[in-house]
Amino acid sequence: MARVLLIEDDPNVRDALALALKGREHEVESAASGEEGLERLARFAADVVVLDLMLPGIDGFEVCRRIRAAASTSIVMLSARGDDFDVVGGLEAGADDYVVKPVRPQVLEARIRAVLRRTDGVPSPVESYGALCVDRASLTVSRSGRQVALPPMELRLLLYLSAAPGQVFSRQQLLESVWEHDYLGDSRLVDACVQRLRAKIEDVPAQPRYVQTVRGFGYRFGPV
Amino acid sequence: MARVLLIEDDPNVRDALALALKGREHEVESAASGEEGLERLARFAADVVVLDLMLPGIDGFEVCRRIRAAASTSIVMLSARGDDFDVVGGLEAGADDYVVKPVRPQVLEARIRAVLRRTDGVPSPVESYGALCVDRASLTVSRSGRQVALPPMELRLLLYLSAAPGQVFSRQQLLESVWEHDYLGDSRLVDACVQRLRAKIEDVPAQPRYVQTVRGFGYRFGPV
DNA sequence: GAGGCTATTACACGTTCATGACATGGCGCG
DNA sequence: CGCGCCATGTCATGAACGTGTAATAGCCTC
């Protein structure tokens, strides 16, 4: 019925859910960590990702953001923590649904179906922001209809930022998520990349419309 | 931000939710029964319908099916019954999400956003206190609809205070938490920052509505 | 009315960011 | 195998902006 990627570190839960979903004619692929999940996703074109929050290595929220940056796959979060605070945080990180463990497979499946029903009508991963067009499938960017060639890092940065328009990211967050650097310390690397990106996508780089500076905090993609 | 049709027969719940959603800049229309809701929907082009299941007259499931038949509006079901059976049934009747009462407005709103994200752009989460709106994702503040630019420290102070409305913080606490200074000692630094902040967000800085002085103790955010 | 607490304003220093030049390194092409 | 280009990361400079401090004025409380 659907292609499901299950990211969950507990083998018992993972196997139980995988089995149940397969029994309902879904195609299921499993991963035990965030890293593994992201890697699988690159090759297994999932319709929906079922994502545990408590993962070894990079946590569920970060995995969620990275999935959002790269693809338009739907995400159902799965967590043992059901406080209002957690739920709101999860949904704001970009999840389509948030389910509290333990969960009966029937319920999980019903929620997956509800999420997919919503997605069906939205085929195009092309997002357009003003004159800027970002196509996450072909990884191309165009500005006022004319295609813009972006080097890898600038493209990754743009994808990441534009996946959450309006949200402010610190340089540190960007170094970790986009560059996958883990060292702490001051670096003007992000700044430099932002400048180069602006030179290519902004009409007036000195008054950026898309990639904006938030003094003292970091950068944000739009809104104007 | 979004147009919400709220179908709920209990006037208390209805008014509370309507008020909370309006406070977050949504446009809200209410209906007390299924018939009234369907009729409203014909004229009020809602982005999402929040639908109680226990309604007088035609029940929530039937309303859901009729909405689905007529329009592509998203539906968030609201019910006091949270059995797995009910949840699965609700989602299979065509709901996009199913929320169990009682629900905190923040959670309902986060779920509405998640549902809308699929069809619309991504509006960011907004806390609103009277005429003051604080958007914690994009780090923007607006007063009576007009955006206010705040320098980093003033913004951090406002974010910190408004995260716990009503609670009093001493200058020392603020120095530690907002400034991350650890030295003890008298400093009028917090005062100065508060003044600058007031000048920007208060209508009458001399009679502050949002950032209030508690003589001898410190400052507090609201209540209005 | 005195003392302590807070508001208000001004100014100079420090931080932060933009910008462009430069060094490094990988990759493809000859 | 070697050359050269392009992308990336680092650095130095300069400007803009915000911030902390201090000095003064106002207010509340006892």
Side-chain angles (χ1 to χ4, degrees), chain B residues 107-188:
Chain B
V107 174
L108 180 60
E109 204 221 359
R111 290 201 171 266
I112 289 176
R113 282 179 191 286
V115 164
L116 287 178
R117 198 156 39 211
R118 278 297 155 197
T119 49
D120 276 316
V122 192
S124 38
V126 172
E127 293 288 337
S128 130
Y129 315 90
L132 193 74
C133 275
V134 179
D135 184 328
R136 291 174 187 281
S138 65
L139 300 182
T140 52
V141 175
S142 59
R143 166 187 153 205
S144 322
R146 233 197 311 284
Q147 186 146 327
V148 179
L150 292 182
M153 288 316 294
E154 290 165 41
L155 182 56
R156 291 186 59 179
L157 177 64
L158 176 62
L159 289 174
Y160 190 82
L161 289 175
S162 66
Q167 174 159 356
V168 177
F169 297 96
S170 71
R171 291 173 174 71
Q172 191 57 43
Q173 267 177 295
L174 293 172
L175 277 178
E176 283 167 17
S177 308
V178 179
W179 275 263
E180 302 180 9
H181 285 179
D182 43 1
Y183 57 72
L184 298 117
D186 193 42
S187 162
R188 297 267 70 107

Side-chain angles (χ1 to χ4, degrees), chain A residues 26-221:
Chain A
H26 295 292
E27 209 171 318
V28 182
E29 188 95 12
S30 301
S33 72
E35 289 85 349
E36 194 189 338
L38 289 168
E39 191 188 315
R40 289 270 158 108
L41 189 60
R43 282 175 289 106
F44 177 79
D47 299 311
V48 59
V49 175
V50 175
L51 177 62
D52 187 28
L53 279 187
M54 298 278 288
L55 290 170
I58 55 179
D59 79 342
F61 288 96
E62 184 54 32
V63 174
C64 180
R65 260 177 251 117
R66 294 202 197 169
I67 291 175
R68 273 274 166 282
S72 62
T73 314
S74 298
I75 299 172
V76 175
M77 279 191 179
L78 199 59
S79 167
R81 304 182 48 176
D83 304 340
D84 291 345
F85 183 80
D86 299 311
V87 175
V88 172
L91 293 172
E92 275 170 11
D96 292 285
D97 203 341
Y98 186 107
V99 178
V100 178
K101 289 196 278 191
V103 60
R104 296 261 301 281
Q106 292 96 305
V107 173
L108 180 61
E109 205 222 356
R111 289 199 171 268
I112 289 175
R113 294 167 75 106
V115 163
L116 288 178
R117 195 164 44 214
R118 222 182 278 161
T119 319
D120 278 345
V122 190
S124 162
V126 178
E127 296 287 342
S128 149
Y129 316 89
L132 193 73
C133 232
V134 179
D135 184 332
R136 291 176 191 283
S138 64
L139 297 181
T140 53
V141 175
S142 56
R143 165 187 154 206
S144 323
R146 234 196 313 283
Q147 186 144 329
V148 179
L150 291 182
M153 288 316 294
E154 289 165 42
L155 181 58
R156 291 186 58 179
L157 177 63
L158 177 62
L159 289 175
Y160 192 83
L161 289 175
S162 65
Q167 169 141 11
V168 175
F169 296 96
S170 70
R171 291 173 174 69
Q172 190 57 44
Q173 267 178 296
L174 294 172
L175 277 179
E176 282 167 18
S177 308
V178 178
W179 276 264
E180 305 185 8
H181 286 179
D182 43 0
Y183 57 72
L184 298 117
D186 194 40
S187 162
R188 298 263 72 98
L189 173 53
V190 179
D191 297 48
C193 192
V194 166
Q195 309 318 323
R196 289 195 261 255
L197 177 57
R198 279 179 181 159
K200 285 164 194 145
I201 64 170
E202 300 281 357
D203 293 319
V204 187
Q207 292 149 36
R209 208 182 141 192
Y210 301 113
V211 181
Q212 300 175 348
T213 304
V214 182
R215 201 181 164 88
F217 292 92
Y219 295 97
R220 131 184 92 204
F221 184 86

